[in-house]
Amino acid sequence: MSEKPIQGEKRVFMTGNEVVAWAALAAKADIMYGYPITPQNEIMHYWTRMAPKFGRKFLQTEDELSAGFTTLGGVLSGRKAFTATAGPGNTLMQEPLSMAEMMRIPSVVVIQQRGGPSTATVIYSQQEVTMTTFGGNGEGFRIVYSTSTHQELFDYTIKAFNTAWKYRFPTFVLADGYQAKMRESLKIYDPEEKGVKLIQPEATIGKPAVNGVKEPVHVRNTYNTEEELFEVLTGYMEDYQKCAPEVTEYQEFDCDDADIVVVSHGVVARAAKVAVQELRQEGLKAGFFRPVTLRPFPADQLRSVADKTKTLLFVESAFGQMAKLAKESIFGSTVNVETLYKPGVGITSEEIVAKVKGVL
Amino acid sequence: MSTLPQMPKSWRLESKPHKFCPGCGHGLVLKALGEAIDELGIQDKVAFGCDIGCSLLAWDFFNVDTVQTHHGRTTPVMTGVKRANPDVICIAYMGDGGGYAIGSQHLVNAAARNEKITAILVNNCNYAMTGGQMAPTTLPGMKTETTPYGRDVEQSGYPTQGPEMVAAITRDGAYVARGTIANLKQLKSYLKKALENQLAGNGFSFVEALASCPTNWRTNAKDTWAFVEQEMPKYFKVGELKNPAEKGDE
Ligand SMILES: Cc1ncc(C[n+]2csc(CCOP(=O)(O)OP(=O)(O)O)c2C)c(N)n1
Ligand code: SF4
Ligand SMILES: [Mg+2]
């Protein structure tokens, strides 16, 4: 029961959903709460097969509202709890996650984006960016990692638990149906053996008495006055802004002398990377920029790229949801903006190369 | 306050007098609950979840770990706590709108899964916190803000019979009862048995409490009690529906 799910480091070839289940095990997640929805299902399927062998738990709930709220209950009782969903399930997940924002409940949610709006497709999209970064009736006090490879799915799922528990903001791993279903090779490992410290969870409710004295806690999400709420949210914003520089992650290359920089995230960034490399080989001055955290967004970093290039090309499998975040962060810049938007549809490097050549 | 001398030990002094309207049934239900917690000596192990509705006012009511949740979502939050840490004695406290309308799927499924938590639902025949709209439990012909001419069963159906529904869908181990603030001794005994049922690890425990809302009923003390004692039990039968502790149950 108590042996480690992964000993040392192993090279494996598996689907992204399987990767997430392994990563959650490796991160010492205690319990998963979930409701079936494609393309996320196999996270539950692998978890329910493996978890009991390591003393971990699972609850299949009646819907995603319940999956989200039970996850909050699990976290409140001091367990590393998580859930996973997609599309319409992500829509329902916004209600519990707004409570997590308000009560600083370090919950972890894995999203495998599918086509939207509505039921749309069970296949793939990048259309859950707006909802995942700023969903719910709140201020987006969340951390959102957009992964690009199976290795990152593993690394960032582990990281998500640490980030959530360290800063106490709900944390999302935002992937997609391609990453969920595709098989790819990666290295899975025991994080502690690699020197990655796993943050210990702490109970809010159900803490045992100390020296026979129990100090009850009272946690709430309702406030009586405007001032009271304002004070709480001002404090949250300060915390968020303080942790943002530590949390923000991005990748860039070939931007310094670029005439055009391709900006993309998630799985599309893989196509963009290949496209930029090919364009460079042809002598065209293209650059690559990829936000890894969509929230907080690497605003300063993109701004400095915008300041030195002529054109930013936003490429995404949505009608500009990432671009909205990007444009806000470069507000005032005079850089030229071009777009390649294919909502709910995959994007190839050839399409990006052709688009860049059309612009240059 | 006249109730000061009999305050249950598990009540939190700093938050008293409580924030419910004068004559509100919530305070009485929570008094019975406080006494049940005291008598069982479980104060240090209880986690109390309150819904959004007038029950939200109870977020600092007890000297027990308390979490305020969302409208209808207290059942899943406390289910999540219990599943993650079975040592905690979980109470989900909600209104009739929270339990039978917006959160009915949670109540039904927690009952069906026989979650080892105790759900307490205050039936005051209306959505009180939002100003007295029709609830699933509004009586036929009863006037509310959204049924100004009285609840028309042709349009809105008949009131939800919660404990009957929960009793019908639960199997062995569930405790189900309907009490009333008109008989606090009995209500306390139901709440105590519901908690004991959780302590014994038997299964889901559910107590509906018939309770007053003079503010939205717009009734004086006399009419309030007449409604609780005479009108409500005509439709909502008081008593135990399921008790695993009793042999020959059902
Ligand atoms: C999702 C959502 N919808 C609506 C509301 C508004 N709301 C707050 S309390 C309430 C009704 C409460 O009625 P009930 O559950 O019967 O509790 P009572 O106040 O009667 O005790 C409603 C509709 C809300 N808070 N959240
Ligand atoms: S509105 Fe009704 S239920 Fe709410 S506190 Fe007042 S009397 Fe009680
Ligand atoms: Mg009510």
Side-chain angles (χ1 to χ4, degrees):
Chain A
M1 278 279 272
S2 57
E3 91 210 41
K4 285 184 171 178
I6 307 164
Q7 310 277 357
E9 191 175 270
K10 264 200 287 199
R11 183 152 282 284
V12 294
F13 183 69
M14 52 174 70
T15 66
N17 281 335
E18 192 175 358
V19 170
V20 170
W22 276 106
L25 277 179
K28 296 193 176 167
D30 296 292
I31 184 163
M32 176 184 188
Y33 303 87
Y35 188 81
I37 189 163
T38 309
Q40 164 279 134
N41 294 311
E42 294 83 6
I43 297 177
M44 298 187 300
H45 301 177
Y46 286 106
W47 180 263
T48 50
R49 275 158 187 73
M50 302 191 293
K53 296 180 191 157
F54 304 99
R56 322 292 176 85
K57 300 181 194 173
F58 175 75
L59 176 66
Q60 184 167 329
T61 58
E62 58 274 18
D63 57 21
E64 288 85 352
L65 291 165
S66 184
F69 281 105
T70 49
T71 299
L72 304 190
V75 173
L76 285 168
S77 55
R79 304 293 192 261
K80 284 188 182 174
F82 76 108
T83 185
T85 190
N90 194 1
T91 305
L92 292 188
M93 202 56 77
Q94 295 310 314
E95 193 202 325
L97 268 292
S98 79
M99 183 166 125
E101 278 185 42
M102 178 54 109
M103 298 167 87
R104 303 288 295 266
I105 302 172
S107 29
V108 171
V109 184
V110 178
I111 306 291
Q112 302 289 26
Q113 296 169 95
R114 54 184 263 169
S118 180
T119 317
T121 73
V122 298
I123 307 167
Y124 161 81
S125 87
Q126 294 189 315
Q127 297 172 286
E128 295 174 46
V129 167
T130 301
M131 177 158 66
T132 307
T133 51
F134 282 99
N137 59 335
E139 299 287 351
F141 292 130
R142 306 143 172 235
I143 289 152
V144 180
Y145 293 113
S146 170
T147 59
S148 190
T149 64
H150 281 33
Q151 189 62 59
E152 286 187 357
L153 256 187
F154 188 79
D155 299 344
Y156 283 99
T157 300
I158 293 171
K159 193 178 232 178
F161 286 97
N162 270 353
T163 303
W165 283 93
K166 180 167 181 193
Y167 302 107
R168 297 193 77 91
F169 289 114
T171 302
F172 293 82
V173 177
L174 183 69
D176 56 67
Y178 287 173
Q179 294 185 61
K181 300 279 191 177
M182 205 163 56
R183 257 176 219 285
E184 186 164 282
S185 88
L186 72 150
K187 274 189 192 152
I188 62 172
Y189 51 84
D190 178 77
E192 284 173 320
E193 283 177 31
K194 270 205 155 186
V196 178
K197 208 170 153 271
L198 296 180
I199 294 183
Q200 275 294 108
E202 205 193 311
T204 302
I205 60 179
K207 257 193 203 160
V210 180
N211 300 327
V213 182
K214 164 86 185 174
E215 276 303 328
V217 296
H218 298 86
V219 287
R220 61 168 165 167
N221 57 62
T222 311
Y223 294 91
N224 298 322
T225 66
E226 292 164 70
E227 290 74 16
E228 226 179 345
L229 174 66
F230 180 69
E231 196 185 313
V232 170
L233 296 185
T234 303
Y236 287 4
M237 189 51 110
E238 277 166 18
D239 291 351
Y240 195 84
Q241 281 168 344
K242 203 166 123 224
C243 82
E246 289 167 40
V247 173
T248 303
E249 292 186 40
Y250 70 103
Q251 288 177 343
E252 67 165 277
F253 63 83
D254 289 349
C255 289
D256 286 344
D257 64 340
D259 292 327
I260 183 166
V261 172
V262 181
V263 183
S264 62
H265 75 101
V267 86
V268 174
R270 296 168 71 148
K273 187 174 173 183
V274 173
V276 169
Q277 285 164 344
E278 279 178 23
L279 288 161
R280 280 280 166 178
Q281 270 165 16
E282 291 183 38
L284 293 166
K285 288 186 174 169
F288 171 92
F289 187 91
R290 170 198 166 203
V292 175
T293 48
L294 292 174
R295 181 93 184 117
F297 197 86
D300 295 342
Q301 294 83 350
L302 182 62
R303 171 170 280 278
S304 69
V305 169
D307 286 345
K308 61 193 174 198
T309 192
K310 292 183 195 126
T311 300
L312 294 181
L313 170 61
F314 295 121
V315 182
E316 58 181 309
S317 295
F319 273 133
Q321 297 194 21
M322 171 207 66
K324 206 158 73 181
L325 300 170
K327 284 182 202 160
E328 193 198 279
S329 69
I330 58 162
F331 180 73
S333 162
T334 52
V335 72
N336 181 38
V337 165
E338 294 285 341
T339 62
L340 174 54
Y341 296 155
K342 296 186 79 181
V345 179
I347 299 172
T348 64
S349 58
E350 289 84 352
E351 288 171 283
I352 298 171
V353 167
K355 177 75 191 183
V356 170
K357 285 181 177 171
V359 170
L360 285 181
Chain B
M1 284 283 302
S2 59
T3 52
L4 274 177
Q6 316 127 339
M7 247 199 267
K9 189 175 131 284
S10 51
W11 276 23
R12 188 161 177 259
L13 282 172
E14 298 91 310
S15 62
K16 305 297 171 296
H18 60 59
K19 308 171 195 106
F20 301 108
C21 309
C24 175
H26 274 286
L28 293 171
V29 177
L30 295 175
K31 181 164 187 241
L33 178 60
E35 288 172 359
I37 291 170
D38 288 356
E39 287 173 24
L40 293 168
I42 53 174
Q43 188 177 343
D44 288 357
K45 290 171 77 182
V46 163
F48 179 78
C50 63
D51 217 70
I52 299 302
C54 288
S55 58
L56 77 83
L57 300 171
W59 77 275
D60 60 352
F61 195 95
F62 290 109
N63 250 332
V64 308
D65 284 350
T66 303
V67 52
Q68 188 181 55
T69 81
H70 282 191
H71 187 36
R73 316 299 178 212
T74 308
T75 303
V77 171
M78 300 323 285
T79 295
V81 171
K82 188 74 182 182
R83 288 277 179 159
N85 184 2
D87 294 339
V88 181
I89 300 159
C90 291
I91 299 171
Y93 182 77
M94 69 202 79
D96 38 11
Y100 296 151
I102 194 167
S104 56
Q105 77 275 38
H106 307 311
L107 179 64
V108 165
N109 285 282
R113 290 194 304 261
N114 218 6
E115 295 291 348
K116 291 167 186 61
I117 63 169
T118 300
I120 302 167
L121 186 146
V122 172
N123 176 353
N124 55 16
C125 296
N126 80 105
Y127 282 53
M129 176 53 88
T130 39
Q133 297 84 4
M134 179 182 71
T137 45
T138 296
L139 294 176
M142 185 177 170
K143 285 188 178 147
T144 70
E145 290 297 327
T146 50
T147 55
Y149 305 107
R151 179 176 182 154
D152 175 357
V153 294
E154 281 300 314
Q155 275 202 40
S156 315
Y158 284 90
T160 301
Q161 306 260 5
E164 288 78 0
M165 171 182 75
V166 173
I169 60 173
T170 45
R171 305 290 288 265
D172 296 346
Y175 177 87
V176 186
R178 180 188 283 117
T180 169
I181 57 161
N183 188 344
L184 278 183
K185 215 172 132 212
Q186 180 197 53
L187 178 62
K188 183 177 79 182
S189 84
Y190 291 169
L191 293 171
K192 217 170 139 180
K193 284 191 241 181
L195 288 166
E196 281 169 336
N197 197 51
Q198 180 180 169
L199 284 164
N202 290 336
F204 192 62
S205 315
F206 182 67
V207 179
E208 181 188 288
L210 303 182
S212 52
C213 175
T215 302
N216 288 302
W217 294 353
R218 294 169 171 71
T219 45
N220 60 24
K222 188 165 148 279
D223 294 343
T224 301
W225 278 104
F227 195 79
V228 172
E229 288 181 314
Q230 286 149 41
E231 293 309 313
M232 292 177 85
K234 278 188 199 156
Y235 200 90
F236 303 115
K237 296 272 172 285
V238 172
E240 274 179 329
L241 289 88
K242 263 191 173 173
N243 183 1
E246 266 172 27
K247 289 266 178 276
D249 166 44
E250 286 179 286

